[in-house]
Every structure is written in structure tokens, then in C-alpha cells.
Amino acid sequence: MNKTWLEVVMPASLVLIFCTIMVFGLSVSGLLEPEPAPVKVTLASKPDEPATGPASPHQLPAGADAEAVAAGDALFKANCAQCHAINEVVVGPALAGLSRRRPISWITAWVKNSSKMVAHGDEYAVKIFNQYQKQQMPSFQLSDQEIKAIVAYIESRSYQVSASGATGVAAL
């Protein structure tokens, strides 16, 4: 084996080993278990009345902007998917229900500079930082609108999962 090959393979192998250990540790501690989202679907009482639940798992929640969701999908895949999934813990937490846990102003500040929030002692930021083995989330140079689009995408995927009744796997 030549030295160049080892310089490439060794760091990648160490990252893979680290991630495997993290996933194993999180699964043993029970942190990989997604919380099932409650689904409330009321059937119509008369044949001519519409049901109050979603007609299909591909529908967006009321008020969701399809363009923002599509833009958020692309931004999520380009910036977030390496460390996050909607309903599963990867390197960082699962993001389903994100906007129910934190306001958009907090999410925006966190995405732009999580280390600043931790340094300033934001209680939730410190909790997340400590919960995920003090791994710092990188700062992203995204606009507020781009972050809102990502959150819209996350919420649309969260809605699709809860509407389909699935737990842990996003409905496509």
C-alpha cells in the first residue's frame, strides 16, 4: 500500500468507526427510538361529508407553500442530510416536529451559529450540545428565507409521516 492511499482511507475509516460507535451507543441508550407522532383522523359521519383527515400522505399541511417545500427539500439535501434525518437520529437529532419544539427565530439563530448560542448559555442549545457528545453543529451561511424553506420541508415530511400512520420511516 502506498502512503497516499493510507492518507485517504485511514481518516475515512476512523470517521466510520466513530459513527458506528455513536449509533450503537445511542441505540443502546434508547435515543434512537423515534416518538410516534399522534394522528387524529375523523371519518365523515355522512357519505356526502368529507373526512377531516388528509386524503393522501402526499398532501402538504394546510398553509404549506409547495415552492418553499421544494426549495427546502433541495437545501436540506445539500446542507442537512449528512447529519440529520426527519425521523431518525443520524449524527444530530431527528428533525420531525422541529417547529413545535423551538420557534423559528431560535432555529434560525441555531443554524447560523450554534456555537455562539452554546457559548451564551442558551439552555436548549447547551442541552442539545451535551446530548450529542459535544459535537458542534457547523454554522451555515443561509438566509432566513432559506432556513424557513428547510423548516417547511421538514414539517411537510413530518406531516406526511404522521398522516400515513408510519413511525420511523418517512412516507414518500
Side-chain angles (χ1 to χ4, degrees):
M1 285 190 241
N2 65 32
K3 185 178 177 183
T4 307
W5 185 82
L6 284 174
E7 289 173 348
V8 172
V9 172
M10 286 303 292
S13 299
L14 291 175
V15 168
L16 182 61
I17 291 169
F18 176 76
C19 289
T20 303
I21 292 169
M22 292 294 297
V23 168
F24 176 75
L26 291 171
S27 66
V28 169
S29 67
L31 292 174
L32 282 181
E33 296 297 320
E35 293 182 26
V39 178
K40 184 176 182 180
V41 176
T42 307
L43 298 176
S45 59
K46 298 178 187 172
D48 57 331
E49 289 180 12
T52 58
S56 97
H58 299 288
Q59 280 185 330
L60 297 177
D65 178 4
E67 287 181 26
V69 171
D73 179 18
L75 288 164
F76 181 87
K77 288 174 182 170
N79 296 286
C80 312
Q82 297 84 355
C83 298
H84 296 281
I86 304 299
N87 292 295
E88 298 174 13
V89 172
V90 183
V91 174
L95 298 177
L98 176 64
S99 64
R100 289 188 304 269
R101 293 192 304 261
R102 305 301 325 156
I104 191 69
S105 59
W106 187 95
I107 295 166
T108 301
W110 174 260
V111 170
K112 289 185 175 186
N113 196 341
S114 65
S115 60
K116 181 179 177 182
M117 293 181 73
V118 171
H120 282 95
D122 179 274
E123 187 177 334
Y124 195 77
V126 171
K127 175 187 170 202
I128 294 295
F129 178 70
N130 289 330
Q131 184 177 354
Y132 289 90
Q133 288 68 40
K134 299 187 178 186
Q135 287 195 40
Q136 197 67 49
M137 181 172 140
S139 297
F140 290 93
Q141 301 302 316
L142 298 168
S143 70
D144 292 0
Q145 205 60 27
E146 289 171 320
I147 294 169
K148 287 177 183 176
I150 292 169
V151 172
Y153 166 72
I154 291 166
E155 293 309 314
S156 75
R157 297 294 296 181
S158 301
Y159 176 80
Q160 289 174 4
V161 170
S162 67
S164 69
T167 56
V169 179
L172 298 176

